[in-house]
Amino acid sequence: MQRHLISAADLTRDDAVLILDTAEEMARVADRPIKKLPTLRGRTVVNLFFEDSTRTRISFEAAEKRLSADVINFTAKGSSVSKGESLKDTAQTLEAMGVDAVVIRHGASGAPYRLATSGWIDAHVINAGDGTHQHPTQALLDAFTMRRRLVGRDAGIGRDLDGRRITIVGDVLHSRVARSNVDLLHTLGAEVTLVAPPTLVPVGVETWPCEVSYDLDAVLPKSDAVMMLRVQRERMNAAFFPTEREYSRRYGLDGDRMARMPEHAIVMHPGPMVRGMEITAEVADSDRCTVVEQVANGVSIRMAVLYLLLGGNEPAVTHTRPPVAHHPSDERSAHTPFTAEEK
Amino acid sequence: MSKTLIRGAKVLGGEPQDVLIDGGIIAEVGAGLSAEGAEVVEAAGKVLLPGLVDLHTHLREPGREDSETVLTGTRAAASGGYTAVFAMANTFPVADTAGVVEQVYRLGQEHGYCDVQPIGAVTVGLEGRKLAELGAMHESAAGVTVFSDDGKCVDDAVIMRRALEYVKAFGGVVAQHAQEPRLTEGAQMNEGVVSAELGLGGWPAVAEESIIARDVLLAEHVGSRVHICHLSTAGSVEIVRWAKSRGIDVTAEVTPHHLLLTDELVRTYNPVYKVNPPLRTERDVLALREALADGTIDIVATDHAPHPHEDKDCEWAAAAMGMVGLETALSVVQETMVDTGLLTWAGVAERMSAKPAEIGQAKGHGRPVSAGEPANLTLVDTAYRGSVDPAGFASRSRNTPYEGRELPGRVTHTWLRGKATLVDGKLT
C-alpha cells in the first residue's frame, strides 16, 4: 500500500483485494453490540470538506469513530477555489496541529494529489472525491458490494471480479465515480461497459480500459451489475441532452429494462438517486437494488482503508482463527495487517 | 560612445567574422578588423544574431507590479537576448488609451534595457464590445501598430471585422488570441486522453481552429492583415497553411513551450504547466516544429506571463495561467529547432528577430548584421549546456516549467544600439 489513497488507478490488484478482505473483517464489527475497535486510538483524522457531501462525510466519520480515532470535521465550503491559498494554508494549519490523516473532498480535480505531493503536509491523504477526477473509496465500496453479491460473502475472500460484466450508465463525463470504477474494476478483472449519450462521454475515453456504448438495451442482457450514475438536472440547460424525458426514455432504468437483465444481476447507484429520471421507484426499491447495502459497505471499506494506511498498532479484529488463513499467498500475507510482526 | 569589437563570432551561424560597433551603429563587418580604441569581446565559437524581438510579452505594469514591472521584464528580456519586446495590453488599467501606452513606452525608454513597444487593446477594457481608440494609440508617442485583446478572444465577428478594417488606415495589425469562449468554458487543459483521465475541463483544439478559420476569412474579405497569437494545434497549422496558399495576409506565432512540452506533464497537477492555450499533444508539437521550419508559422513569440508564487502554489483549478519565457526562449528554440536540424541559426534570426520586427514594425530592429545598421545584437554560446535555475532569473516571477531541466545554449552578451545590456551573462 502507498502512503496515500488518491486514485483507484494507484491500487494494484493485490492492494485492492487486501482492502476488500480487510473490509470483510471490519464488517463483522458492525454486527457486534459494541461497534468499536481500539485500533486508531490516539490518532487524529481530519475530514476536510471543501464541498458539501453529508453522506460521504458521515460515512468516513463513522469509520473513523469505529476505529477509535479522534475526529475533526472541517467544512470549508465556498472558500475553496476562489483563492488557492485556502487549501495550502488550511493544510499547514492541520499539519501544525499534528494531524495523522486528512480525508479530503474538493471541487477541484487534483486537489488531493497536490495536497499529498506538494510538501505542504506530512499526513496521510485520502481522497474523498475531487472534482470530476476520482473517488476511490466509492469504487472500493462498489467493488465490495459486487463481490459480496456476485461471488459470495465468504467465498469472495481473496478473490477479485474476474470476468464479471459491469455496466455504468449516465453522466460519465462529470463523474468521478465512473472514472474510479473503470480503473478499479479493470484492475480486479471485470469487463466494464460505459453507456451514455455521446455528449456525456469524455473526449479521450478510447484509451480507457472499457467499452463504450450508446445503447442501453443492447448491453443490459450481458450485464452482471448495472451501475446508474446521478444525472444533475442542470446538465439539461447546458444542452447535454434535449429533455429530461428523452434522457429517461433512452438511459433511464425502469422495470421493463430491469427485466432484460440476467436474473442474478444487481442494480447499483452511488446515491443520491433522482427517482423518475435515471431510475424508477420500482427499480430503486427492488431487492436487486443495492443502494442501502452500498452505504453500509462504505463504512467497512473506509475503516479498512484508514486501518491499512495508518498501519494501526493493534490487530483490527480479535480472531478465533488465524486470519492469515484467508490469505494463502505468501506475498499477500506479507502485506496483511494481521500478521504477528505488525502487532 | 566607445567602440566594441566582437571578435571571431559566427554571424548568423556562418563563418567567423569580426564585428565593430561604433556609436550605436555596426561600423564594419569583416575578417581581422583592428581593435584599436575598442573594447574587445572574444566570441570564438559563439553565434552572433540580430537582437531578438518578442511580439508577445506580458510586462504587467501598470497594475500587477508584484509579478513583473517594465524594469524587471526588460532586464529579463536583455538576459534572454532580446532588444525589443511588444508589451501586451492586459494590464490594470488596460492599455486601451493613449495615456497608458505612452506610460509603458516611456518606462521602457527610461530603463534602457530593451525597447518596449506597447500593444494596444482592440476593445475598451478587453471587454469585446466597443473598439478602443486605436487611432489615438497609433498617433501617441508610443506609435502603436499592433492591437490585441490577448488573454481574451475578440469573439464577436462584427467587432473583429471592424477592427481589421479600421487598422488598415494606418497599417496596423490585429493579433488574435484565438479561443472560442463557449467551447472553452471551464477549460483547464487540452481536451483529450489526459483530460479525460484527470477529470479536468477540456480546452478543445477546435476552439482555437474555428476562430482562426473565421479570422483568416474575415481578413481576406476586408483585405486586411491578421496575426494569430500562440498557435498551438496541428489543425491550426493546416488552416494557416491553407490561408497563406490562398494569398490571405496572415502571420502566426508559436511559443517555445508549445514547441517542447506536452499535456502529459499535466498529470503532475503542477500548475507551473497551466498555460493558455494549453499544452497539447506530441503530434501537435511535431506539427508546430515542422510549420515553424517551413515558414507556415512565421515567428517564435514567448507569451512571457509572469505570476507571483502564490498564484501557482495552489491546486490546479485555482492557479493562474501562464509561464515566464523570455530568459529560456532561445535555449528551447535551439533544442527543438536547431539541434534537431530543422532550422539554421539564420533561420532562427529570421523567426525570432527579423520577422517579428517586420510584423510589429519595430524600427531599427531585426536588421541584418551589416555595416550601417543599428547595433542591436545578441551573442550566444551555443555549446553551453546547463540546467535551468529560476533563482537566477531577472524576471520578478519564477513560474518556469523548465526548473532543473537541462537546456542548451546561453546568451552571453546583448547590445541595444551599441550599449551592452548583458555582458558575460550579467546584466549591466
Side-chain angles (χ1 to χ4, degrees):
Chain A
M1 288 284 290
Q2 308 193 2
R3 259 181 68 72
H4 310 289
L5 179 57
I6 306 297
S7 167
D10 298 338
L11 296 170
T12 64
R13 185 246 176 221
D14 286 353
D15 283 339
V17 171
L18 173 63
I19 295 170
L20 300 185
D21 290 352
T22 307
E24 282 290 0
E25 304 288 350
M26 297 298 177
R28 290 187 191 136
V29 176
D31 299 334
R32 298 181 184 178
I34 296 171
K35 300 175 176 55
K36 206 161 173 104
L37 297 172
T39 313
L40 297 184
R41 199 165 48 200
R43 306 292 192 94
T44 305
V45 181
V46 170
N47 299 317
L48 181 58
F49 276 57
F50 288 88
E51 195 182 72
D52 268 340
S53 176
T54 310
R55 299 161 59 102
T56 302
R57 187 180 58 71
I58 290 175
S59 178
F60 269 105
E61 195 174 341
E64 290 148 8
K65 287 181 169 165
R66 282 186 193 173
L67 292 172
S68 305
D70 295 322
V71 180
I72 300 171
N73 287 311
F74 188 111
T75 306
K77 186 192 130 198
S79 64
S80 58
V81 180
S82 55
K83 196 66 184 165
E85 287 90 335
S86 60
L87 177 61
K88 183 184 177 185
D89 289 347
T90 307
Q92 289 181 335
T93 304
L94 299 176
E95 176 77 352
M97 291 176 178
V99 162
D100 297 295
V102 177
V103 173
I104 176 174
R105 159 69 67 103
H106 202 289
S109 300
Y113 184 90
R114 283 285 280 165
L115 188 63
T117 59
S118 298
W120 299 336
I121 192 167
D122 200 35
H124 298 272
V125 176
I126 298 171
N127 182 1
D130 62 328
T132 51
H133 177 222
Q134 281 277 332
H135 193 356
T137 57
Q138 176 72 42
L140 285 161
L141 76 87
D142 289 336
F144 184 78
T145 308
M146 287 177 216
R147 195 176 75 167
R148 278 191 155 189
R149 283 287 201 118
L150 302 175
V151 185
R153 189 168 174 155
D154 291 320
I157 297 295
R159 292 182 56 188
D160 56 22
L161 292 167
D162 189 41
R164 311 292 154 164
R165 293 165 304 179
I166 318 296
T167 301
I168 301 175
V169 187
D171 186 359
V172 175
L173 181 64
H174 302 97
S175 176
R176 51 195 170 211
V177 176
R179 280 174 180 76
S180 316
N181 266 291
V182 168
D183 288 334
L184 183 67
L185 292 171
H186 172 72
T187 299
L188 289 172
E191 294 164 17
V192 181
T193 304
L194 301 174
V195 179
T199 47
L200 290 174
V201 176
V203 168
V205 76
E206 60 277 4
T207 61
W208 293 12
C210 62
E211 299 291 315
V212 176
S213 169
Y214 307 134
D215 183 356
L216 180 57
D217 290 313
V219 179
L220 285 177
K222 297 177 284 184
S223 304
D224 297 309
V226 176
M227 184 184 299
M228 304 304 293
L229 298 173
R230 176 144 179 253
V231 179
Q232 294 182 318
R233 286 209 156 93
E234 57 264 34
R235 303 287 178 229
M236 207 178 79
N237 301 327
F240 286 103
F241 48 86
T243 65
E244 227 172 273
R245 288 318 309 155
E246 172 150 331
Y247 179 87
S248 193
R249 275 195 294 272
R250 294 176 65 86
Y251 300 100
L253 191 61
D254 59 12
D256 289 346
R257 282 211 165 103
M258 189 167 67
R260 279 176 228 162
M261 293 163 51
E263 232 168 73
H264 68 273
I266 55 172
V267 174
M268 308 180 71
H269 196 297
M273 292 183 283
V274 180
R275 288 173 186 244
M277 182 177 172
E278 68 226 18
I279 194 163
T280 61
E282 178 191 3
V283 177
D285 297 331
S286 82
D287 291 346
R288 303 171 74 173
C289 183
T290 62
V291 173
V292 179
E293 278 168 63
Q294 286 171 266
V295 174
N297 292 341
V299 177
S300 306
I301 279 290
R302 284 162 184 138
M303 288 172 76
V305 166
L306 285 159
Y307 176 79
L308 291 167
L309 283 189
L310 287 167
N313 295 321
E314 306 280 336
V317 180
T318 311
H319 293 277
T320 49
R321 57 194 162 119
V324 284
H326 296 314
H327 311 291
S329 111
D330 285 338
E331 193 192 343
R332 193 174 307 121
S333 62
H335 288 288
T336 169
F338 308 120
T339 51
E341 301 82 62
E342 293 194 8
K343 282 182 188 172
Chain B
M1 192 180 284
S2 61
K3 291 189 201 177
T4 306
L5 181 72
I6 306 167
R7 188 182 271 157
K10 294 188 276 184
V11 176
L12 271 51
E15 288 305 305
Q17 287 191 296
D18 298 344
V19 176
L20 183 68
I21 303 173
D22 187 2
I25 301 291
I26 298 172
E28 227 180 324
V29 178
L33 297 186
S34 163
E36 197 184 324
E39 189 186 342
V40 177
V41 174
E42 296 294 348
K46 294 183 183 174
V47 169
L48 187 68
L49 300 172
L52 306 182
V53 177
D54 188 16
L55 198 64
H56 194 145
T57 302
H58 295 275
L59 292 180
R60 305 293 187 217
E61 188 176 6
R64 281 308 300 267
E65 291 82 357
D66 58 328
S67 45
E68 195 81 285
T69 63
V70 174
L71 176 61
T72 59
T74 52
R75 283 169 65 87
S79 292
Y82 287 87
T83 53
V85 298
F86 285 74
M88 274 299 173
N90 62 337
T91 48
F92 305 96
V94 171
D96 57 1
T97 63
V100 178
V101 293
E102 282 189 354
Q103 179 197 2
V104 172
Y105 174 77
R106 183 177 50 76
L107 286 170
Q109 292 294 311
E110 276 175 16
H111 298 319
Y113 281 96
C114 161
D115 285 346
V116 175
Q117 181 56 56
I119 291 174
V122 177
T123 64
V124 174
L126 308 177
E127 285 175 356
R129 289 200 280 276
K130 190 173 181 301
L131 285 184
E133 290 191 344
L134 308 179
M137 287 190 274
H138 176 69
E139 284 161 16
S140 75
V144 176
T145 55
V146 182
F147 299 90
S148 181
D149 277 359
D150 182 61
K152 288 184 178 176
C153 180
V154 182
D155 67 303
D156 183 313
V158 173
I159 297 281
M160 187 60 184
R161 176 201 168 139
R162 300 288 183 239
L164 287 167
E165 285 178 311
Y166 195 82
V167 299
K168 285 200 293 180
F170 42 85
V173 63
V174 178
Q176 176 69 293
H177 173 120
Q179 177 181 5
E180 212 294 315
R182 286 279 281 145
L183 285 172
T184 51
E185 278 171 15
Q188 294 287 329
M189 68 171 296
N190 179 50
E191 182 169 73
V193 166
V194 182
S195 68
E197 203 175 304
L198 298 186
L200 288 171
W203 201 128
V206 68
E208 174 174 307
E209 294 154 4
S210 59
I211 293 291
I212 296 175
R214 183 199 75 176
D215 287 353
V216 295
L217 294 172
L218 282 173
E220 178 180 46
H221 183 65
V222 302
S224 188
R225 66 189 180 113
V226 65
H227 176 74
I228 308 300
C229 293
H230 42 49
L231 182 150
S232 72
T233 77
S236 297
V237 167
E238 288 307 310
I239 293 163
V240 171
R241 191 171 280 143
W242 169 83
K244 286 188 166 179
S245 75
R246 197 174 154 96
I248 297 172
D249 200 353
V250 56
T251 53
E253 70 188 35
V254 63
T255 71
H257 48 270
H258 286 111
L259 290 172
L260 182 60
L261 309 176
T262 70
D263 65 352
E264 289 292 330
L265 291 162
V266 182
R267 291 183 189 282
T268 62
Y269 281 109
N270 186 341
V272 79
Y273 300 114
K274 185 173 175 181
V275 66
N276 182 352
L279 300 178
R280 305 288 189 182
T281 67
E282 188 179 2
R283 178 176 157 266
D284 295 302
V285 166
L286 296 176
L288 294 171
R289 289 182 188 181
E290 194 185 313
L292 182 63
D294 72 21
T296 302
I297 295 176
D298 301 82
I299 65 169
V300 174
T302 67
D303 194 7
H304 176 80
H307 290 295
H309 182 65
E310 59 270 24
D311 286 359
K312 286 289 192 179
D313 190 30
C314 55
E315 58 271 35
W316 180 277
M321 290 187 281
M323 353 178 120
V324 292
L326 284 168
E327 292 168 83
T328 48
L330 194 60
S331 293
V332 175
V333 170
Q334 181 179 338
E335 169 147 323
T336 58
M337 301 300 295
V338 181
D339 292 354
T340 54
L342 286 167
L343 214 54
T344 62
W345 283 107
V348 172
E350 172 74 13
R351 285 158 182 79
M352 295 185 76
S353 179
K355 193 73 184 177
E358 181 193 320
I359 294 168
Q361 301 169 51
K363 292 182 189 66
H365 291 279
R367 303 294 304 165
V369 181
S370 53
E373 297 288 353
N376 296 317
L377 295 166
T378 292
L379 190 62
V380 192
D381 177 3
T382 57
Y384 176 87
R385 296 199 81 85
S387 63
V388 176
D389 179 12
F393 280 1
S395 173
R396 183 161 281 180
S397 293
R398 302 282 179 269
N399 51 306
T400 175
Y402 310 117
E403 181 170 7
R405 183 175 183 133
E406 186 173 287
L407 288 175
R410 187 173 75 112
V411 175
T412 62
H413 293 71
T414 308
W415 290 274
L416 175 64
R417 285 182 287 279
K419 177 180 172 283
T421 54
L422 187 79
V423 175
D424 289 327
K426 292 188 179 65
L427 288 159
T428 57

